[in-house]
Amino acid sequence: MTDIVEKLRNTSDLSDEELAALIETDDRDAAELLRRYADETRQKNYGKKVFLRGLIEVSSYCKNDCLYCGIRRSNKDADRYRLSREEIMSCCENGYGLGFRTFVMQGGEDGSFTDDLMCSVISEIKEKYPDCAVTLSLGERSFESYRRMKEAGADRYLLRHEAASQELYSKLHPKEMSLQNRKDCLFALKELGYQVGAGFMVGAPYQSTKHIVADLRFLQELQPQMIGIGPFVPHHNTPFAEEKGGTLELTLRLLGILRLMFPKVLLPATTALGTIAPNGRELGLQTGCNVVMPNLSPVKVRKKYDLYDNKICTGEEAAECRGCLQRRIESAGYEIASERGDCID
Ligand code: 5AD
Ligand code: FES
């Protein structure tokens, strides 16, 4: 198996069969070699730098009904909220003071966040903090909406494709959602000049190795600047409540594979990874990750942005999260970068 890791390091690609073998392997030597080469590649491109993204969870209302997600519209027990524009601005002020130079506005697909409202919030943030990047993660919207928000100053957009295989996508989403539309959105965002992030959950129900290979091939086609993956974690109020979660080992293997296939990509050590293992994010950083996304949302809403069970960082103030992450990053052998952290392609 280590010969496959060597080949991946040298060529940044593998055949479908080799990828499948590496995804499935329990060979510890291969896992350790993959970790070493992933870290070597991230250090060649980004040194020891880790970029911080201040995550502002703007709304837990969602018109979608994804089967895995705790804020799906069918979850009548979800305690919903949306932040006002003043609350969003005050998160940015707080975050700027803590050294964040990227603000990520993420939320469910909430019709109250109209294009007019979003554009005016985006312009205000860019006016007040011209040295900061604005990232949006608001799901599927129209081309015109994406165009207007880009024009208002948005720099980046995160939209996980969730599953590139039609078969798996249909098992994770209700009938009215379409994989084709999701892919069209991602290509539209690229065309409009956004730095784009895609990705998927690891160990989602019904996910097999061939589905993951399809995800990797789709990412090669899209060539996103950012790739977000994290383990699936069941939520007690969803149809997947009793399903098994994704594992630390598989998530780390995939992070290593992604770093070698996409040497310059921005790759976060996600909150979900920190949720399934106390040192999950540190291990992610040592396996090719170069981004972390501390929570900047007001503490009073944090527990309500409840995508999956046992989510970490829901009781801490932004400053506490920032301090906690700084300690974790430094203990893992890396350092916080002070710049915006755009992709170096
Ligand atoms: N477990 C892990 N990740 C989840 N997401 C949604 N629900 C879950 C869950 N139960 C991820 C999705 C989405 C991102 C915001 O959170 O991939 O794109
Ligand atoms: Fe949020 Fe540790 S990163 S509390």
Side-chain angles (χ1 to χ4, degrees):
M1 196 54 60
T2 52
D3 53 324
I4 296 187
V5 179
E6 297 287 349
K7 180 176 169 196
L8 179 57
R9 178 206 196 195
N10 293 332
T11 65
S12 289
D13 205 2
L14 292 173
S15 68
D16 286 2
E17 292 70 29
E18 290 166 328
L19 273 177
L22 192 51
I23 291 167
E24 287 180 358
T25 189
D26 54 11
D27 181 334
R28 286 174 170 269
D29 294 335
E32 174 53 22
L33 196 64
L34 185 58
R35 192 202 65 69
R36 257 188 34 220
Y37 287 160
D39 189 48
E40 169 196 271
T41 301
R42 80 88 89 198
Q43 294 213 34
K44 197 167 80 202
N45 290 296
Y46 289 98
K48 294 199 172 287
K49 283 182 192 171
V50 177
F51 301 111
L52 296 183
R53 317 300 195 198
L55 182 64
I56 309 172
E57 296 153 334
V58 296
S59 175
S60 72
Y61 285 88
C62 191
K63 69 171 164 61
N64 282 338
D65 215 19
C66 308
L67 277 76
Y68 45 83
C69 183
I71 64 169
R72 65 201 300 266
R73 67 161 189 268
S74 296
N75 181 6
K76 303 296 179 224
D77 286 345
D79 196 356
R80 311 276 174 178
Y81 73 93
R82 55 175 68 92
L83 298 184
S84 66
R85 104 181 260 134
E86 292 71 31
E87 287 173 312
I88 296 173
M89 291 312 300
S90 113
C91 289
C92 294
E93 189 180 331
N94 188 6
Y96 193 85
L98 292 169
F100 297 118
R101 293 298 176 266
T102 293
F103 301 116
V104 182
M105 289 189 272
Q106 180 174 92
E109 292 192 15
D110 178 357
S112 308
F113 283 80
T114 59
D115 297 344
D116 286 340
L117 173 60
M118 281 318 303
C119 288
S120 95
V121 174
I122 295 163
S123 333
E124 186 175 344
I125 298 175
K126 294 296 282 193
E127 226 163 82
K128 282 210 171 112
Y129 310 106
D131 54 337
C132 290
V134 168
T135 303
L136 303 174
S137 180
L138 302 169
E140 296 178 12
R141 300 172 73 104
S142 67
F143 187 88
E144 182 58 13
S145 169
Y146 290 150
R147 193 194 61 71
R148 286 187 57 196
M149 296 193 295
K150 183 77 183 57
E151 200 174 77
D155 301 281
R156 311 187 185 130
Y157 205 102
L158 305 178
L159 180 67
R160 289 189 180 176
H161 64 279
E162 310 294 1
S165 138
Q166 182 61 60
E167 184 206 11
L168 180 59
Y169 190 91
S170 319
K171 290 191 165 143
L172 302 180
H173 299 95
K175 279 194 295 294
E176 67 273 14
M177 286 178 73
S178 130
L179 173 60
Q180 192 55 52
N181 193 57
R182 179 65 58 124
K183 291 183 174 176
D184 290 347
C185 284
L186 284 162
F187 285 104
L189 289 161
K190 270 213 117 177
E191 185 188 324
L192 285 163
Y194 283 90
Q195 297 170 47
V196 169
F200 58 93
M201 292 180 296
V202 177
Y206 310 109
Q207 186 186 55
S208 67
T209 303
K210 77 172 196 302
H211 298 135
I212 298 175
V213 172
D215 288 322
L216 299 174
R217 296 296 179 221
F218 172 70
L219 291 168
Q220 284 180 316
E221 184 193 336
L222 179 68
Q223 288 294 321
Q225 286 82 8
M226 304 167 281
I227 299 177
I229 66 162
F232 161 69
V233 184
H235 184 286
H236 62 281
N237 263 333
T238 63
F240 292 161
E242 305 301 328
E243 300 289 337
K244 282 208 282 297
T247 65
L248 176 68
E249 292 70 25
L250 179 56
T251 308
L252 291 174
R253 254 186 343 268
L254 282 166
L255 286 169
I257 291 172
L258 286 169
R259 172 54 69 207
L260 293 179
M261 288 177 77
F262 303 90
K264 296 185 175 170
V265 82
L266 292 159
L267 192 62
T270 55
T271 305
L273 186 57
T275 295
I276 62 161
N279 59 342
R281 288 171 298 176
E282 290 87 328
L283 292 170
L285 291 173
Q286 290 167 337
T287 316
C289 292
N290 60 344
V291 172
V292 285
M293 301 175 66
N295 202 316
L296 256 186
S297 308
V299 172
K300 64 166 199 218
V301 307
R302 284 198 191 184
K303 286 200 170 39
K304 304 183 188 180
Y305 199 76
D306 186 24
L307 306 183
Y308 48 81
D309 289 344
N310 306 313
K311 189 171 163 232
I312 54 169
C313 304
T314 55
E316 282 78 7
E317 290 292 346
E320 293 175 279
C321 255
R322 166 73 168 76
C324 171
L325 268 175
Q326 174 151 7
R327 282 192 301 279
R328 288 168 183 274
I329 290 165
E330 288 170 2
S331 78
Y334 302 91
E335 63 198 32
I336 290 182
S338 53
E339 64 266 44
R340 268 170 53 133
D342 292 298
C343 188
I344 54 178
D345 67 7

